[in-house]
């Protein structure tokens, strides 16, 4: 069974890698967006799915990664790789400096605190001359969608391998212990503060990398788009819909919801904006543990799976 699953994953990876060679330009561009959203969902999965802290601040990491690339390339004339490293460094510093106080909060207090971070960063960057203020920055164009696609796919593979490592490492077990019962984890010897900050930073690394790749791809950056809270909502919905705290759940969620959203945007424009709101309701009420949990239990319990979830949440 394990060999079959590995084979299916490798086959899917080969098919994805070949898209730029047999797919249309529109499909490749859709693929870049979807792959980067999947990376963001995997990054959120570390802090939200495995650690149990519903962060609305990952869009800040995305924005810092974007501005790291833009500032390095436009203002300092440095190559893209150096810009990526600079963006990641900014995200890690931000995670440690603000993670220490913010991660002492829990539940909705933590969510509200991280929600405010995007607005604060938008206001700060809008007044920084180096970042182009409100006008933004225009990056040098590189018309090579194939390169950006393969780079996005490689980034998703690395992020997924990091999640896979979490499921088998002492660090990952510590994060799961914090998610299940933080007080008990501390009693058992888990340094909860250090583990949470490291998870926040690792989550930020992948978000920053995705932001850097996206910024160079679209070649334009401004504070509103870089620190867009709507992007954070999307990554959360995709991770939750696919299955938070699982290896492949966020990827399945990102690909599924991106495809449906793209279809609705082109075919039924009037309700496309309501789509993610409907997904939130369906996911919370009928399958709070995502598609991964649904597929595991649906064959055994059938429709009773949904009824049990409704009863469990007193709905």
């Amino acid at each position: 069974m394990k060999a079959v699953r590995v084979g299916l994953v490798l086959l899917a990876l080969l098919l994805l890698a070949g898209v730029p060679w047999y797919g249309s330009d529109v499909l490749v561009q859709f693929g870049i967006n979807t792959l980067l959203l999947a990376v963001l969902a995997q990054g959120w999965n570390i802090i939200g799915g495995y650690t149990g802290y519903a962060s609305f601040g990952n869009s800040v990491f995305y924005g810092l990664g974007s501005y790291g690339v833009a500032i390095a390339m436009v203002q300092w004339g440095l190559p893209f790789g150096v810009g990526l490293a600079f963006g990641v460094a900014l995200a890690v510093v931000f995670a440690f400096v603000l993670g220490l106080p913010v991660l002492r909060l829990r539940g909705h207090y933590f969510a509200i605190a991280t929600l405010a971070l995007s607005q604060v960063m938008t206001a700060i960057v809008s007044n920084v001359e180096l970042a182009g203020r409100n006008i933004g920055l225009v990056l040098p164009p590189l018309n090579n969608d194939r390169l950006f696609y393969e780079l996005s796919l490689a980034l998703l593979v690395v992020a997924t391998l990091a999640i896979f490592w979490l499921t088998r490492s002492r660090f990952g077990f510590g994060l799961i212990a914090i998610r299940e019962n933080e007080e008990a984890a501390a009693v058992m010897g888990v340094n909860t503060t250090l583990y949470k900050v490291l998870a926040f930073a690792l989550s930020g690394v992948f978000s920053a990398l995705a932001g850097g790749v996206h910024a160079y791809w679209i070649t334009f950056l401004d504070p509103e788009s870089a620190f867009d809270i709507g992007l954070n909502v999307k990554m959360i919905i995709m991770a939750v819909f696919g299955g938070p705290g699982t290896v492949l759940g966020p990827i399945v969620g990102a690909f599924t919801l991106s495809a449906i959203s793209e279809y609705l945007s082109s075919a039924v424009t009037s309700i496309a904006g309501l789509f993610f709101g409907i997904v939130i309701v369906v996911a919370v009420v009928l399958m709070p543990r995502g598609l991964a949990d649904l597929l595991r239990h649906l064959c055994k319990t059938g429709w009773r799976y949904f009824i049990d979830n409704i009863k469990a949440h007193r709905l």
Side-chain angles (χ1 to χ4, degrees):
M1 191 67 177
K2 185 178 178 180
V4 173
R5 276 185 286 185
V6 172
L8 289 174
V9 170
L10 290 175
L11 177 61
L13 186 59
L14 286 173
L15 290 173
L16 286 173
V19 166
W21 309 101
Y22 62 75
S24 64
D25 291 341
V26 173
L27 181 61
V28 172
Q29 291 172 4
F30 169 76
I32 295 170
N33 269 319
T34 303
L35 289 169
L36 291 178
L37 282 171
V39 173
L40 290 172
Q42 285 287 43
W44 185 89
N45 194 27
I46 298 171
I47 187 67
Y50 282 91
T51 315
Y53 276 71
S55 170
F56 283 86
N58 278 40
S59 55
V60 174
F61 298 130
Y62 175 89
L64 290 173
S66 300
Y67 269 101
V69 168
I71 291 172
M73 296 185 71
V74 177
Q75 306 288 37
W76 299 336
L78 297 173
F80 172 62
V82 176
L84 270 182
F86 179 54
V88 168
L90 287 176
V92 170
V93 170
F94 180 89
F96 274 90
V97 171
L98 286 180
L100 285 170
V102 170
L103 285 166
R104 295 182 184 277
L105 303 172
R106 299 186 189 179
H108 55 280
Y109 296 107
F110 174 78
I112 292 170
T114 54
L115 185 63
L117 293 177
S118 294
Q119 301 302 316
V120 172
M121 286 303 298
T122 300
I124 292 173
V125 173
S126 296
N127 292 282
V128 175
E129 184 68 38
L130 185 65
R133 296 183 181 270
N134 281 322
I135 300 173
L137 296 172
V138 179
L139 286 78
L142 177 63
N143 298 317
N144 192 340
D145 283 351
R146 284 184 179 180
L147 174 63
F148 285 112
Y149 180 94
E150 300 297 355
L151 187 59
S152 301
L153 179 59
L155 182 55
L156 179 58
V157 170
V158 173
T160 305
L161 289 175
I163 298 292
F164 181 76
W165 167 76
L166 280 182
T167 64
R168 283 157 173 75
S169 68
R170 181 173 179 175
F171 176 59
F173 293 146
L175 297 183
I176 294 171
I178 291 171
R179 181 189 68 195
E180 298 301 321
N181 191 321
E182 190 167 338
E183 289 80 7
V187 170
M188 294 299 292
V190 177
N191 188 336
T192 55
T193 300
L194 176 63
Y195 274 47
K196 288 188 296 184
V197 173
L198 288 176
F200 200 43
L202 184 59
S203 177
V205 166
F206 291 115
S207 299
L209 288 170
V213 172
H214 189 262
Y216 193 23
W217 178 47
I218 62 173
T219 70
F220 176 73
L221 192 63
D222 66 89
E224 288 293 333
S225 62
F227 300 101
D228 181 15
I229 189 63
L231 184 63
N232 210 115
V233 173
K234 276 187 178 182
M235 67 178 86
I236 293 174
I237 293 173
M238 288 172 173
V240 171
F241 184 81
T246 62
V247 177
L248 297 178
I251 298 176
V252 174
F255 276 68
T256 303
L257 297 183
S258 292
I260 297 174
S261 179
E262 183 70 18
Y263 171 76
L264 290 177
S265 297
S266 57
V268 200
T269 311
S270 58
I271 66 168
L274 299 175
F275 174 63
F276 283 102
I278 295 170
V279 168
I280 293 174
V281 175
V282 171
V284 170
V285 174
L286 298 180
M287 46 180 206
R289 291 187 176 88
L291 282 174
D293 188 68
L294 169 64
L295 295 175
R296 277 199 300 267
H297 292 88
L298 194 58
C299 294
K300 297 178 183 178
T301 61
W303 292 104
R304 230 178 67 207
Y305 173 83
F306 301 113
I307 297 171
D308 291 342
N309 280 329
I310 293 173
K311 288 180 179 178
H313 292 84
R314 302 180 184 278
L315 296 169

